[in-house]
């Protein structure tokens, strides 16, 4: 365990290590973040709150390291941090979870995942547990269906999220993202755009500057604007994506002093690769808009990043 660090700090550290692992030997078992694991979660069993912990008002987050096999089943779960009483309840519940299989080079692959579970006795805790189960159902439909079933499941989860108290900002952000993805897959661009616009509102409340998740939020909006023919708005979002990526790099540099040189180089390479993709996508849009000179400038910048890696 890492007793001197908060759960949030531990997840951030593991997220850095995640990007390093992705750049390492492909034969090693990949480590995925809590966010990526949740995106693949299709069946969630809510842990039963230990009665003694409830009586003693013990609450807080626990962090687990989970092994997920090629079929998306949990083969092992170990506690990383959190109150022992809460960990004891979390581990058997997580062993019953089901994930959409992860892939490597197009083939199902086993992964290690970091899973954070919140034990909360405050207002809305029970409703939040209900939402999390509905979110998993929504994820399952998004992975396996692009029809009305996915939209219905994700809208149901969104409706529950909107009933949560105001401090559940992250849940509302995620609920709007999933609803937008379901609408986008169903080719309902206007509905997807409305959902992603709401996602941005909650993301601006939930995410600190430099959080890499903001890049995905902006990406969702950019694609929805482009799908609805609003190319200048999409152009703006791509610019915001570049700013978000630069903010993530600045945040990374603050943490690099805590990483060995090899690890820091691996993370820098990952960030450069991500920026290259963003620039290439933005250039594609600019060409569609007839802004050839601006597109060529971004393509040149993307190529220079590729040469520096």
């Amino acid at each position: 365990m890492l007793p001197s660090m908060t759960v949030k700090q531990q997840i951030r550290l593991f997220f850095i290590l995640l990007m390093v692992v992705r750049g390492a030997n492909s034969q090693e078992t990949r480590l995925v973040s809590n966010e990526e694991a949740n995106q693949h979660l299709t069946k969630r069993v809510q842990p039963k709150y230990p009665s003694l912990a409830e009586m003693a008002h013990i609450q807080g987050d626990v962090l687990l390291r989970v092994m997920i096999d090629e079929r998306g089943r949990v083969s092992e779960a170990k506690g990383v941090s959190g109150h022992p009483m809460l960990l004891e309840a979390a581990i058997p519940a997580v062993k019953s979870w089901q994930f959409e299989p992860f892939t490597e080079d197009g083939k199902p692959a086993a992964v290690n995942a970091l899973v954070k579970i919140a034990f909360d006795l405050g207002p809305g805790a029970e409703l939040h547990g209900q939402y999390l189960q509905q979110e998993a159902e929504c994820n399952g439909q998004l992975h396996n269906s692009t029809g009305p079933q996915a939209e219905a499941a994700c809208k149901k989860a969104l409706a529950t999220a909107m009933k949560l108290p105001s401090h559940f900002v992250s849940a509302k952000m995620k609920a709007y993202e999933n609803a937008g993805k379901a609408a986008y897959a169903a080719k309902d661009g206007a509905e997807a755009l409305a959902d992603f616009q709401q996602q941005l509102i909650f993301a601006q409340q939930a995410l600190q500057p430099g959080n890499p998740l903001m890049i995905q939020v902006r990406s969702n909006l950019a694609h929805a604007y482009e799908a609805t023919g609003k190319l200048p708005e999409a152009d703006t979002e791509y610019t915001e994506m570049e700013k978000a990526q630069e903010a993530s790099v600045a945040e990374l540099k603050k943490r690099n002093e805590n990483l060995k040189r090899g690890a820091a180089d691996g993370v820098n390479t990952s960030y450069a690769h991500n920026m290259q993709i963003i620039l290439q996508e933005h250039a594609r849009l600019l060409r569609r808009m007839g802004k050839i000179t601006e597109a060529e400038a971004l393509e040149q910048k993307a190529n220079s990043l590729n040469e520096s890696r």
Side-chain angles (χ1 to χ4, degrees), residues 44 46-47 49 54 59-60 118-133 160 163-165 167-168 171:
R44 178 189 177 99
Q46 188 70 2
Y49 216 112
E54 189 171 4
Q59 53 186 332
F119 284 83
D120 185 13
L121 295 171
E126 184 176 348
L127 187 62
H128 185 232
Q130 179 183 336
Y131 161 72
L132 291 173
Q133 290 178 309
T160 301
K163 296 176 184 177
L164 290 168
H167 64 277
F168 286 96

Side-chain angles (χ1 to χ4, degrees), residues 227-245:
T228 53
K230 299 180 179 180
L231 303 190
E233 290 85 350
D235 182 13
T236 298
E237 290 306 320
Y238 275 112
T239 300
E240 292 298 326
M241 285 171 65
E242 291 159 20
K243 292 179 181 178
Q245 181 68 9

Side-chain angles (χ1 to χ4, degrees), residues 22-304:
R22 282 178 171 173
N25 191 321
S26 61
Q27 293 181 346
E28 295 180 5
T29 303
R30 184 161 67 97
L31 173 67
V32 303
S33 67
N34 178 64
E35 289 81 9
E36 187 176 355
N38 282 336
Q39 289 173 357
H40 282 252
L41 182 61
T42 59
K43 176 188 174 185
R44 178 189 177 99
V45 175
Q46 188 70 2
K48 182 175 175 57
Y49 216 112
S51 56
L52 289 177
E54 189 171 4
M55 290 172 60
H57 295 281
I58 296 171
Q59 53 186 332
D61 295 339
V62 301
L63 187 66
L64 306 178
R65 187 182 180 101
V66 176
M67 293 183 65
I68 303 170
D69 67 20
E70 294 87 347
R71 287 182 283 182
R73 301 179 305 184
V74 175
S75 59
E76 185 178 338
K78 294 182 178 180
V80 175
S81 69
H83 194 282
M85 206 178 291
L86 302 180
L87 281 171
E88 187 177 352
I91 290 174
V94 168
K95 286 183 176 179
S96 299
W97 289 10
Q98 181 71 38
F99 295 81
E100 179 70 17
F102 293 80
T103 59
E104 289 284 350
D105 299 324
K107 299 179 181 179
V111 298
N112 288 316
L114 293 165
V115 173
K116 184 180 75 169
I117 300 177
F119 284 83
D120 185 13
L121 295 171
E126 184 176 348
L127 187 62
H128 185 232
Q130 179 183 336
Y131 161 72
L132 291 173
Q133 290 178 309
Q134 292 174 350
E135 180 189 275
E137 294 171 8
C138 163
N139 287 339
Q141 291 294 338
L142 284 174
H143 283 290
N144 298 300
S145 171
T146 58
Q149 298 94 333
E151 283 195 283
C154 295
K155 284 182 178 179
K156 181 179 179 181
L158 176 59
T160 301
M162 290 302 99
K163 296 176 184 177
L164 290 168
S166 59
H167 64 277
F168 286 96
V169 180
S170 295
K172 296 177 182 183
M173 177 186 76
K174 184 62 179 176
Y176 270 115
E177 178 181 27
N178 281 344
K181 286 180 177 179
Y184 191 88
K187 304 188 183 306
D188 188 344
E191 181 66 26
L193 178 57
D195 288 331
F196 290 144
Q197 286 172 330
Q198 289 298 315
Q199 182 198 7
L200 175 61
I201 292 173
F202 287 108
Q204 289 170 331
Q205 299 174 39
L207 304 179
Q208 296 295 322
N211 191 313
L213 292 179
M214 184 58 79
I215 300 167
Q216 183 60 50
V217 174
R218 294 292 185 180
S219 176
N220 291 338
L221 263 176
H223 287 97
Y225 276 128
E226 189 171 0
T228 53
K230 299 180 179 180
L231 303 190
E233 290 85 350
D235 182 13
T236 298
E237 290 306 320
Y238 275 112
T239 300
E240 292 298 326
M241 285 171 65
E242 291 159 20
K243 292 179 181 178
Q245 181 68 9
E246 289 168 356
S248 294
V249 171
E251 180 67 18
L252 170 67
K253 289 180 179 178
K254 295 179 184 178
R255 303 194 298 261
N256 268 356
E257 58 188 29
N258 299 320
L259 294 175
K260 294 180 180 180
R261 181 172 180 178
D265 289 345
V267 178
N268 284 327
T269 298
S270 177
Y271 272 71
H273 176 68
N274 291 341
M275 178 61 92
Q276 183 186 17
I277 293 173
I278 293 169
L279 293 172
Q280 289 170 340
E281 280 285 292
H282 193 180
R284 177 193 54 76
L285 173 72
L286 290 173
R287 284 188 176 278
R288 183 181 173 188
M289 297 174 69
K291 297 183 177 182
I292 306 303
T293 301
E294 293 179 33
E296 289 176 344
L298 290 184
E299 289 165 350
Q300 184 176 1
K301 186 176 179 180
N303 290 335
S304 67

